[in-house]
Amino acid sequence: MSERLGAVASSARARVVDRWFGVGVALFVIVLNIVAFAPSLVDPSRRAAPLPVTPLVLVHAVVSVGWLLLFLAQTTLVATSQVATHRRVGVFGAGLSAAVVGLGVLVVMAQARRGFDLSGDIARLPLPTGVDGLSATVALLLFPVQFGMFVGAALWYRYRPRTHKRLMLFAALAGITPTPVAHLIGHWVGPQPWADALFPLSEIFFVSLIALHERATEGRIHPMTLWLGALVVALERVVILGVQRTMAWQAFAQWLVQ
């Protein structure tokens, strides 16, 4: 009898953790962005361009903050069992996500044409051997595209709650975090030769959060999580270490900024 009661209590705790995990992820990503972008705003002496930022960057920042706050609200609605409201608000979230992708692409293209990022953080990162600055900047398009893929897939599977939740977690942890992580590494680590290794390590860490959560609450790691995690790390490594060095990519980067 006591074993059965213990199992019931453990299952109840797992359900509570499962419901509030998304809220924790949302708060974590918000704090990560604050910590990443605050240094160049609080102390602009190391910026590559003075404040205020350009209108495009300002709009991008406002929309991105709006998405993060909406993600926090949506995860809170699910955690408090207000699923119907969550679905109604999700219609607005789809449009906001599309704006995040579009503005993200425009910001990367503007940075490529300008030749430097406004904060000066990313410019301090070491370039991979055989890769010029333009090719490396255009490669940042991977992240808004990756975010859009995860959100789009999550909307497609919106009537399959577990799959929808998993994809939205990947959108937040694998689609949103690369940019603030790049700013953090650039600001605090700089041109150290080992800085590049921190990117795949950070991605593995973020994906592991989802995997460990599933293991703790469901007793197993879903195969989809393993495949998506491997895809995220592989895409970043293929683009960073392989594609950027090709003549075709360099020609594409030149064509994009013309």
Side-chain angles (χ1 to χ4, degrees):
M1 183 65 178
S2 61
E3 291 181 359
R4 182 177 299 177
L5 290 174
V8 171
S10 177
S11 178
R13 285 194 299 270
R15 287 195 297 271
V16 171
V17 171
D18 186 43
R19 288 207 313 270
W20 289 95
F21 178 72
V23 177
V25 167
L27 290 172
F28 169 75
V29 176
I30 289 172
V31 171
L32 177 66
N33 276 270
I34 293 173
V35 172
F37 292 105
S40 65
L41 298 176
V42 174
D43 178 17
S45 62
R46 297 177 67 183
R47 291 182 61 84
L51 295 169
V53 296
T54 66
L56 173 61
V57 172
L58 181 60
V59 173
H60 171 63
V62 170
V63 171
S64 297
V65 169
W67 189 90
L68 289 171
L69 293 176
L70 180 64
F71 182 59
L72 176 60
Q74 286 289 73
T75 54
T76 303
L77 287 172
V78 172
T80 54
S81 301
Q82 301 181 64
V83 178
T85 304
H86 170 86
R87 287 176 176 169
R88 287 195 295 270
V89 175
V91 176
F92 174 71
L96 192 60
S97 297
V100 170
V101 175
L103 288 167
V105 170
L106 291 176
V107 165
V108 171
M109 292 177 63
Q111 179 177 322
R113 293 191 179 100
R114 189 169 54 242
F116 58 89
D117 71 292
L118 299 175
S119 70
D121 293 336
I122 297 177
R124 286 187 282 274
L125 292 170
L127 287 172
T129 304
V131 177
D132 59 84
L134 176 60
S135 298
T137 300
V138 173
L140 297 176
L141 288 172
L142 168 68
F143 302 122
V145 170
Q146 186 171 259
F147 168 80
M149 290 170 57
F150 283 128
V151 173
L155 292 171
W156 181 265
Y157 288 106
R158 62 190 179 276
Y159 295 115
R160 295 175 60 178
R162 302 301 302 176
T163 302
H164 173 78
K165 175 183 177 181
R166 185 175 295 109
L167 288 165
M168 287 305 299
L169 289 174
F170 267 94
L173 287 172
I176 293 291
T177 58
T179 299
V181 166
H183 281 267
L184 278 174
I185 296 174
H187 188 85
W188 297 109
V189 178
Q192 299 295 331
W194 46 269
D196 182 59
L198 297 177
F199 286 100
L201 290 176
S202 68
E203 290 181 329
I204 292 170
F205 170 72
F206 295 137
V207 171
S208 296
L209 291 178
I210 302 174
L212 291 173
H213 167 69
E214 291 180 348
R215 183 69 178 84
T217 58
E218 301 178 23
R220 70 179 186 121
I221 300 173
H222 196 282
M224 184 179 181
T225 298
L226 297 175
W227 282 107
L228 289 177
L231 177 64
V232 166
V233 177
L235 276 177
E236 193 267 346
R237 289 292 87 186
V238 167
V239 170
I240 298 300
L241 297 180
V243 174
Q244 288 183 91
R245 291 182 170 87
T246 65
M247 295 294 294
W249 182 264
Q250 294 170 15
F252 169 71
Q254 291 286 348
W255 170 81
L256 198 65
V257 299
Q258 288 177 356

